[in-house]
Amino acid sequence: MPAATVTTSPTPTPLSFPAPIFAALQPSSFLRAHLAPDSPSQPSLRANGRRPSEFRKPNINTGSLTHSHGSAVVRIGDTAVVAGVRGEILLADDIPNPPEREKRDFDTNSTRQESRGSGADPSSKGGGDADADAEADSLAHLQLLVPNLELSTGCHPSHLPGSPPSSLAQSLAQRILSLLHSTRLVPLQQLRILRPRARSSDLDDEGDEMLDPDAAVDGDGDGKVKGWEVVAYWTLYIDILFISLDGAVFDAAWGAVVAALGDTRLPHAWWDADRECVLCEEDGAQARGLGLRGCPVAATVGVFAPGRRGVVGGEKEEESWMLVDLDAFEEGLCREVVTVVVDCSGGGNGRIHRVEKNGGGAVGMGRMRHVVRSGEESWRNWAEVLGELGS
Amino acid sequence: MTDRRRINPPPGGTHPPIFASTLSTPSALRPQRPTRTRQPSELRKIFLQTSLVPSASGSAYLELSPSSPPSAPPSSAAYNPSALKLTCTIHGPHPLPRSAPYTPHLHLSTTLKFAPFATRQRRGYIRDAAERDLAAHLETALRGVVIGERWPKSGVDVVVTVLEGEEDGWWGDDVGGGEGAGGGGKGIGGGWGLMSVLAGAITCASAAMADAGIDCVDLVAGGVAGVVVEAGRTTKGKGKSGEAGLGTVVLDPCPAEHEEVRAAAVVGYLAGRDEITELWVKGDVGADAEILIEKAVEAAVSSRTVLVEAVREAAQAKFIQPAENGAAVGSKKGAGSATADVVMSG
């Protein structure tokens, strides 16, 4: 970690401090002194020794939790997150207002094939865009994804337990939920549990009487067959716990969610007509993955502008630095923060899923390109680690 | 019950998956019951590491290895043996807020929380009574070792997060597989897993205390011992249940491995001073409670060796390595060293 020496005039002997004290007293000048060293021979490095556009390499472990269907531990620098995904069953009859789309018949062949397949192939996109939109709407309506995030695990002195979830925790959970829906990461078809729709002659079964009107609506109540109907859904509880917090909160949490969902294996489930409940197969070999669509990765870039003090859209272009993958110290100094979520897994050009920007006007068109490029770099960074898990 | 600060599950209500194999007869499930392969006086392997959370003044992570590793690990989608995993972070000592009343001693506040994925049944985010109770026990154990007089008007937060808890019994008993299997059933009460969690939390918190550099009279180590009734002896034991010798006393019982746990004891023990700061006995011990407590102390002494080793390693990393690093950097070039002073101007 190279320290910077800031000397203006050699006249009086200036105060001399160890680096940590300087950082605590004058954090902004401390970081600036690192980024703009006096001698041009010294490289522009941040206080943590990284270049401004250098990401920390994530470290991912999956499958370490026993009671989850999928789990991941993600470490980025000193930030450590544990995410666990647990599937529970929601019966279709218990849903107050199911979406109309979900009452239709399902083609068993296609769903079965996909559900039995390895699940990890992104080629299972199928359908048109409108179809995917409708599916995403249904997924959001059914509330099958329940991400929650806990910061008060003692991970940082500013988030001690004993109080309700902070607004940061609430907003992070909400952002993860909306991103899960807008990226359409989890295909709804993998969460459906189907059963054969009964013929209308089997009216003695009371469960079918309730569902008979639907059959009439669908126009196949003519005694033939049948198709498959949804009897239940898997609900995924995604619990994210921060063990240690040192910046990159959203990036780490989202990475943990993606890794945990990628690790998730839901047991094979079917409707047992005799017991009138959904049963699952214990055999782990029959469990299937979620077949995630793509691999979106979040990257956060902060703008460190020591000259600006509360001036929005300052008069002239002042010196500022774009710092990627902020640590906790830098997060306190960067007023303007941009988060991009990109996915380059489709091959060719990447896709931007989301851009969130707040805190100032330093990032214009040109700089936004730079941000997106760092997002792509971050994606490659993550994809390397996530890909190792998949293989 | 909706919690508007969190994201709620669908209003229809969900239930955990039911596995078809668990609906078969108890006799079919019985072979899956794990058995204790350790000696009665042998503990599970403990992994303990300190200084995981840099922003905390002290932290530690403790893990117990699963005692009976399954022969074919990923075969079951449903039931795998779990292992205790917990982290402890310590924040402080920090000044108490002005509104707090004057205390001449260090004010300890302990929190213990199970992660939602820590147990077979999903847990909520709001602390329940069992967690508060464990936190109170932990506080008792720690208050006895901390030299509180050195920090008047200050507070320390001890936060324990249980990532994976000890199970309260074999899962087969919960799904009905244990019924009629020797008449033992689940034993009296339940919550035996909490005893191991507490012992682990005490050991882990003690390591974190040492990591935080808070003055203590000694390292406190947690130990558990239990009176268990084995499957083969159940019928015999039932006949003379009035007697003192109810079952075998084992160290570090894993409740899933035993047909019935009659009683268990947790101690927080200071080996250097031969003192007990925390004692919790649960169940029907009969006349020989002392034997049980002695065995729990024995377990604490064994876990202390791991604790001492972890603390020593941490201390070496903290105090010896920086000196070496400093020397290395200094020899390279003084200008680039992190420890070099920075001149501040203006």
Side-chain angles (χ1 to χ4, degrees):
Chain A
M1 207 189 291
T5 33
V6 184
T7 38
T8 42
S9 58
T11 31
T13 46
L15 289 168
S16 170
F17 292 116
I21 293 180
F22 189 18
L25 288 174
Q26 289 283 332
S28 188
S29 332
F30 181 73
L31 185 54
R32 196 192 160 280
H34 275 90
L35 287 167
D38 279 343
S39 61
S41 61
Q42 279 183 322
S44 170
L45 287 177
R46 305 195 233 167
N48 48 30
R50 284 186 281 148
R51 281 176 284 111
S53 60
E54 187 178 343
F55 285 93
R56 290 175 285 189
K57 188 94 180 161
N59 178 346
I60 308 178
N61 269 315
T62 53
S64 42
L65 296 175
T66 312
H67 301 304
S68 303
H69 290 118
S71 64
V73 183
V74 168
R75 283 190 213 90
I76 306 180
D78 284 334
T79 301
V81 198
V82 185
V85 177
R86 191 187 304 233
E88 292 201 356
I89 288 167
L90 168 70
L91 290 178
D93 291 347
D94 290 342
I95 301 169
N97 298 309
E100 285 298 320
R101 260 185 114 251
E102 293 298 307
K103 294 178 185 168
R104 72 195 150 98
D105 277 356
F106 289 92
D107 189 5
T108 54
N109 293 327
S110 65
T111 41
R112 271 299 158 96
Q113 265 172 11
E114 277 168 293
S115 64
R116 288 298 174 88
S118 65
D121 54 333
S123 62
S124 64
K125 275 178 186 167
D129 243 11
D131 216 32
D133 276 343
E135 194 195 286
D137 285 348
S138 305
L139 184 61
H141 179 95
L142 291 165
Q143 302 179 30
L144 297 180
L145 303 175
V146 191
N148 271 300
L149 184 137
E150 183 67 277
L151 281 175
S152 51
T153 54
C155 63
H156 197 266
S158 58
H159 300 284
L160 286 177
S163 48
S166 61
S167 50
L168 175 65
Q170 292 178 48
S171 82
L172 283 172
Q174 196 60 50
R175 282 164 70 190
I176 285 169
L177 176 66
S178 76
L179 195 54
L180 278 171
H181 285 142
S182 68
T183 54
R184 299 170 192 159
L185 186 64
V186 182
L188 180 54
Q189 72 191 21
Q190 303 286 2
L191 302 179
R192 294 189 189 111
I193 299 168
L194 302 178
R195 71 168 168 193
R197 199 185 283 278
R199 299 149 204 262
S200 50
S201 55
D202 296 349
L203 278 178
D204 46 345
D205 202 11
E206 46 179 296
D208 293 320
E209 263 174 20
M210 283 164 60
L211 288 156
D212 204 35
D214 306 337
V217 167
D218 286 344
D220 62 349
D222 49 353
K224 274 198 275 162
V225 198
K226 76 241 165 200
W228 295 67
E229 62 177 347
V230 178
V231 65
Y233 296 95
W234 284 103
T235 304
L236 298 181
Y237 290 92
I238 306 167
D239 296 299
I240 308 155
L241 258 79
F242 273 84
I243 302 296
S244 172
L245 185 55
D246 183 28
V249 193
F250 185 74
D251 301 3
W254 176 252
V257 168
V258 173
L261 286 172
D263 179 52
T264 302
R265 296 277 174 279
L266 292 177
H268 172 58
W270 71 92
W271 174 256
D272 188 300
D274 295 338
R275 291 197 171 87
E276 295 203 332
C277 65
V278 175
L279 293 182
C280 299
E281 172 60 51
E282 198 189 323
D283 184 10
Q286 290 212 38
R288 58 188 161 82
L290 291 172
L292 300 183
R293 294 199 188 97
C295 172
V297 164
T300 303
V301 180
V303 179
F304 172 60
R308 275 164 212 272
R309 295 207 184 272
V311 184
V312 177
E315 325 73 49
K316 59 180 195 301
E317 194 60 35
E318 293 193 53
E319 55 169 6
S320 59
W321 287 269
M322 309 276 286
L323 308 177
V324 304
D325 194 11
L326 307 173
D327 65 16
F329 172 69
E330 291 159 349
E331 255 175 13
L333 296 170
C334 291
R335 188 171 297 228
E336 184 172 352
V337 172
V338 191
T339 302
V340 286
V341 181
V342 293
D343 187 356
C344 311
S345 59
N349 289 327
R351 184 170 171 190
I352 301 176
H353 280 292
R354 170 165 297 199
V355 178
E356 283 172 358
K357 184 173 111 55
N358 51 28
V363 178
M365 292 280 280
R367 283 192 153 182
M368 193 53 96
R369 275 198 198 94
H370 173 76
V371 171
V372 172
R373 266 198 299 281
S374 355
E376 285 172 2
E377 192 195 326
S378 167
W379 184 86
R380 279 190 291 278
N381 221 350
W382 278 87
E384 210 174 293
V385 187
L386 287 166
E388 280 168 18
L389 300 169
S391 59
Chain B
M1 186 187 73
T2 56
D3 183 348
R4 283 196 283 164
R5 295 193 183 97
R6 294 189 174 87
I7 292 165
N8 290 300
T14 59
H15 65 82
I18 303 164
F19 289 92
S21 55
T22 60
L23 299 173
S24 55
T25 53
S27 55
L29 281 177
R30 287 216 65 190
Q32 294 187 43
R33 177 186 279 277
T35 48
R36 186 182 171 107
T37 48
R38 294 170 282 143
Q39 296 298 312
S41 60
E42 193 183 344
L43 270 67
R44 280 171 286 186
K45 283 204 179 66
I46 304 172
F47 174 79
L48 185 62
Q49 198 190 351
T50 56
S51 307
L52 286 123
V53 184
S55 55
S57 45
S59 59
Y61 172 79
L62 179 133
E63 183 176 332
L64 293 186
S65 62
S67 57
S68 46
S71 47
S75 64
S76 167
Y79 302 111
N80 292 311
S82 69
L84 183 67
K85 294 186 180 76
L86 50 87
T87 66
C88 174
T89 52
I90 288 182
H91 296 281
H94 51 77
L96 286 174
R98 279 175 175 276
S99 55
Y102 172 78
T103 56
H105 304 289
L106 186 69
H107 181 261
L108 269 180
S109 67
T110 51
T111 320
L112 188 141
K113 183 77 193 84
F114 280 83
F117 41 70
T119 45
R120 219 168 268 298
Q121 296 293 320
R122 188 172 179 274
R123 282 205 179 234
Y125 277 96
I126 297 166
R127 265 180 296 159
D128 63 11
E131 289 162 341
R132 286 173 193 280
D133 184 32
L134 284 180
H137 278 291
L138 178 63
E139 191 196 335
T140 321
L142 292 179
R143 212 187 310 131
V145 282
V146 175
I147 309 174
E149 299 78 30
R150 297 193 184 165
W151 287 279
K153 301 183 278 184
S154 353
V156 157
D157 291 292
V158 181
V159 187
V160 177
T161 305
V162 183
L163 295 174
E164 203 166 297
E166 178 95 284
E167 289 176 76
D168 285 338
W170 180 50
W171 56 265
D173 289 331
D174 295 336
V175 297
E179 280 170 12
K186 299 184 198 175
I188 315 125
W192 301 111
L194 298 180
M195 312 290 269
S196 303
V197 171
L198 177 62
I202 291 173
T203 312
C204 190
S206 183
M209 275 281 184
D211 185 40
I214 293 170
D215 297 1
C216 294
V217 292
D218 194 4
L219 289 168
V220 57
V224 209
V227 180
V228 297
V229 179
E230 292 308 329
R233 294 185 216 162
T234 321
T235 43
K236 259 194 287 168
K238 270 183 92 76
K240 40 181 182 174
S241 60
E243 284 182 27
L246 290 163
T248 355
V249 179
V250 292
L251 303 191
D252 191 18
C254 177
E257 292 172 350
H258 302 289
E259 195 99 345
E260 181 182 343
V261 182
R262 283 269 163 84
V266 185
V267 293
Y269 180 67
L270 312 181
R273 299 159 68 99
D274 192 25
E275 281 176 19
I276 287 176
T277 57
E278 156 73 19
L279 173 63
W280 184 19
V281 183
K282 197 158 106 171
D284 176 19
V285 205
D288 41 25
E290 276 172 37
I291 297 173
L292 185 64
I293 293 164
E294 264 170 34
K295 288 286 180 186
V297 166
E298 205 178 291
V301 169
S302 310
S303 63
R304 185 190 159 92
T305 55
V306 181
L307 176 61
V308 167
E309 193 58 36
V311 170
R312 181 186 294 132
E313 269 175 29
Q316 278 173 351
K318 213 180 275 179
F319 297 113
I320 298 171
Q321 267 182 6
E324 285 170 358
N325 281 358
V329 173
S331 65
K332 212 165 45 179
K333 221 163 266 178
S337 113
T339 48
D341 281 9
V342 180
V343 180
M344 192 164 92
S345 61

